Amino acid sequence: MSGDILLEIKGLRATAGKTEILKGLDLVVRRGETHAIMGPNGAGKSTLSQVIAGHPGYTITEGEILLKGKNMLEMEPEVRSREGVFVAFQYPVEIPGLANNYFLRTALNEHRKHKGLPELDGGAFLKLVKEKMKLVHMDPALISRSLNDGFSGGQKKRNEVLQMLLLEPEFALLDETDSGLDIDALRDCAEGVNTLRSPERGFVVVTHYQRLLDYIQPDFVHVLYKGRIIHSGGKELALELEEKGYEWLTAGVQ
Ligand code: ADP
Ligand code: MG
């Protein structure tokens, strides 16, 4: 049974410069639900991720995004984060000189402060982060390195999932968290998501591959094409797409 609406996207249109990328996108994610978004390259999946995170490079020209009924587009990125939104990007940024543990602890303590919880000191944080790292089979040495700097693809994606496990968002979108991962990393990242799944939370996973959805079983699968959701179904739709491709749905779509 699904809960109340966590995220509601209505008629969203977004541009980057003069190019319109999202062209009237609708999506409703209720608490307890996991949605998969699939679709060909260039459809606008990562743009949607950026827009939800609040990337300043995109302009919303029409439509709205409501987070728990509140206008999310008016919220600064850090407010969205504190309000429980988490986005794992397709290409996580590398920041040489910013220690991973400092970055993660600062983010977590910001959230804790906002919730009226005491901040964690270095020792308490290290204990917590090591616990979470075990869940995603992440090498503890990575916590003292610079953020994503020289991390392998699998290490970066595990680090994104680690951040998510620490922040415990209510709504999380993961953009191609599976791309370029070997089967162990894929399973670990999926396990991280499954650990957080609960009747209070909602997830969107953007993926090209059915194999991720073997681990993270979605309630709904959507096809994003030319900036719009053009088709939706249950988890069996992903299998159908794997078999038939997108052509049968995209043919004739303007
Ligand atoms: P997907 O993630 O589905 O592959 P994207 O959202 O990355 O698609 O891109 C959708 C389209 O928008 C592509 O044609 C891409 O080149 C274009 N696009 C994305 N971001 C920008 C930008 N900042 N400036 C210009 N075009 C962009
Ligand atoms: Mg993309």
Side-chain angles (χ1 to χ4, degrees), residues 16 21 40-47 58 90:
I21 305 168
N41 290 321
K45 303 182 296 298
S46 292
T47 299
Y58 299 88
Q90 185 172 0

Side-chain angles (χ1 to χ4, degrees), residues 93-107 142-149 151 159:
V93 285
E94 299 184 11
I95 310 185
L98 174 62
N100 197 20
N101 54 6
Y102 178 80
F103 168 74
L104 292 171
R105 179 152 74 99
T106 305
L142 293 174
I143 195 66
S144 21
R145 297 246 305 259
S146 286
L147 177 63
N148 290 327
D149 187 23
F151 283 25
N159 206 42

Side-chain angles (χ1 to χ4, degrees), residues 34-36 38 197 209-210 213-222 232-242:
T34 297
H35 295 242
M38 306 182 83
R197 280 178 80 168
Y209 304 106
Q210 163 59 32
L213 306 179
D214 288 337
Y215 295 109
I216 304 174
Q217 298 230 343
D219 303 294
F220 303 95
V221 175
H222 309 279
S232 300
K235 64 171 188 251
E236 65 289 343
L237 176 58
L239 292 166
E240 201 175 355
L241 293 168
E242 183 121 297

